[in-house]
Structure formats: structure tokens, C-alpha cells
Amino acid sequence: MTECTSEACNNPTDLYLCNECVKVLADWINEAMVYLPELDAAIAKQTTISKPSEGGNGTKSGINPGINLDALQLKINLQSIDRTGEEYAHDEYAAGIAWMIEQWVKRVRIIVEGEAELPINREAIRDRLAAEVPAELKVKPLIQWLETVHDLTIKRSLIWKWAERGHITRTNTGGQATYDPSAVLIHARRHALGLVMR
């Protein structure tokens, strides 16, 4: 009896794959067979491939092959699966074959179903911003915060001009003026990019 040849699996086996890895491979093969007929629709979707233009100036122009070549290649790959998980377990390259089939199926999922969007934890983002961005600051500490944290140098007169023109809003009504640092930061970045006038 030897060990399973799958990476990070040390289960004992008489073959190249242990029973657990054979079951996992069988699941991947079954999933591949489910997706195989769905690839025809994905193949028909047109994609654009970039290639150097004939002008030699380094710009790229798109060519349309008329079919999705990635989907076509994956269909050919899945059609090459010709054995069961148990039959592959007798092959000395079974671990590599199992890994490759898994990669093919994962790629097919993306092509057929689209990329899975990562969930956005808006509460965590708000908490992080609350910890990193002060609620409101007077002009002098605001200028220091922008310079220290964001490497932006802004004059006091510019902040007053932005407030006067309505680009940023004062957060208090009496005493020294305070401003929302995030609003000033956004306007300062837009100003630095030339997206807004002074």
C-alpha cells in the first residue's frame, strides 16, 4: 500500500488516487459533463482579440474570430475526458489529470455563469472609514491631515474659496469653520486631476 499522489493528500491507497480523491475527481467529471452542452452557446458569443496593427506604430486593433476561442478550447478539453474517476486512479498521472480537470471546470463555470461577484461588506467599509477619516476638522488640522495622510498640499485660502463657491460645505454654523475631510479630499483629488475649476 502506498500514499495517494494528489497534492497534500497522504491517504493510503493501492492505486494512484485514494478513495476520497477518486470521489472528488468523479464529482469534477460529472460537473464537466453537465457543462459540456452549455458551452455551445458560449462558443457562439463573439470575442475580440487584440493584435498589433499593420501600421507598425505599436497601436492595437481588434479582430473578431466570430467565436469564443476559450470556450471552444474548453469544449475540446472536456470532450477528452474519456474515463471515470476510478479508471483514472490506475493512471500514474492521475493526480495531474485530476488537477487539470478541476481547472477546466472552474474556467467553464466562469464562461457559462460569469464571474462570481465578491460580496461587499458596506458596514465594514463604513467602520474603517470612520476610524481613518475624522468626522470634521478645522482648517489648520484639515490641511495637516491632507498633507500627512494623503500627501496633498493645499493652502488655507483654497479651502475657503471652495467653500465660498459651494464645492465643499461647512459642517458647523458658529465659531471657526469646520469641514468634512472626506468631502475636501474628494474635491482636492478632482482638482488635482483637473476635473474641476478652482
Side-chain angles (χ1 to χ4, degrees), residues 30-43:
N30 289 338
E31 192 171 347
M33 295 306 116
V34 168
Y35 278 119
L36 191 56
E38 295 184 41
L39 278 172
D40 289 331
I43 291 168

Side-chain angles (χ1 to χ4, degrees), residues 4 6-13 15-28 85-86 89 98:
C4 180
S6 288
E7 190 176 331
C9 181
N10 300 321
N11 291 336
T13 181
L15 303 171
Y16 292 99
L17 294 178
C18 68
N19 289 337
E20 188 177 321
C21 290
V22 167
K23 288 177 187 171
V24 170
L25 175 56
D27 289 342
W28 286 117
E86 290 176 4

Side-chain angles (χ1 to χ4, degrees), residues 28-78:
W28 286 117
I29 291 171
N30 289 338
E31 192 171 347
M33 295 306 116
V34 168
Y35 278 119
L36 191 56
E38 295 184 41
L39 278 172
D40 289 331
I43 291 168
K45 290 182 182 174
Q46 296 184 354
T47 58
T48 301
I49 298 172
S50 293
K51 69 167 192 149
S53 67
E54 300 300 321
N57 61 0
T59 59
K60 305 236 180 209
S61 63
I63 59 168
N64 191 332
I67 59 172
N68 184 328
L69 296 175
D70 287 340
L72 177 61
Q73 182 61 58
L74 282 165
K75 181 176 181 177
I76 292 167
N77 294 347
L78 296 185

Side-chain angles (χ1 to χ4, degrees), residues 4-189:
C4 180
T5 58
S6 288
E7 190 176 331
C9 181
N10 300 321
N11 291 336
T13 181
D14 291 326
L15 303 171
Y16 292 99
L17 294 178
C18 68
N19 289 337
E20 188 177 321
C21 290
V22 167
K23 288 177 187 171
V24 170
L25 175 56
D27 289 342
W28 286 117
I29 291 171
N30 289 338
E31 192 171 347
M33 295 306 116
V34 168
Y35 278 119
L36 191 56
E38 295 184 41
L39 278 172
D40 289 331
I43 291 168
K45 290 182 182 174
Q46 296 184 354
T47 58
T48 301
I49 298 172
S50 293
K51 69 167 192 149
S53 67
E54 300 300 321
N57 61 0
T59 59
K60 305 236 180 209
S61 63
I63 59 168
N64 191 332
I67 59 172
N68 184 328
L69 296 175
D70 287 340
L72 177 61
Q73 182 61 58
L74 282 165
K75 181 176 181 177
I76 292 167
N77 294 347
L78 296 185
Q79 287 173 333
S80 73
I81 300 172
D82 59 354
R83 292 180 260 172
T84 66
E86 290 176 4
E87 291 170 334
Y88 277 118
H90 293 275
D91 191 314
E92 65 180 300
Y93 302 108
I97 293 168
W99 178 85
M100 186 57 65
I101 291 172
E102 177 183 349
Q103 300 310 306
W104 291 342
V105 173
K106 286 179 178 179
R107 183 71 186 125
V108 167
R109 276 184 195 158
I110 291 170
I111 287 176
V112 172
E113 297 175 5
E115 291 276 359
E117 288 186 27
L118 295 175
I120 297 172
N121 187 342
R122 297 190 191 288
E123 188 174 318
I125 292 170
R126 273 194 297 274
D127 292 344
R128 193 178 113 223
L129 283 174
E132 292 177 8
V133 179
E136 56 184 42
L137 290 173
K138 294 178 182 173
V139 175
K140 186 175 180 180
L142 176 59
I143 291 170
Q144 291 170 344
W145 178 78
L146 289 168
E147 193 166 338
T148 321
V149 178
H150 297 282
D151 199 29
L152 286 170
T153 305
I154 296 176
K155 293 182 180 178
R156 182 183 299 235
S157 60
L158 190 55
I159 291 177
W160 290 331
K161 190 181 287 185
W162 289 345
E164 183 181 289
R165 293 184 178 172
H167 298 301
I168 58 174
T169 307
R170 187 175 170 163
T171 57
N172 65 347
T173 53
Q176 285 188 323
T178 59
Y179 298 96
D180 176 5
S182 59
V184 176
L185 176 63
I186 290 168
H187 191 73
R189 289 218 170 124

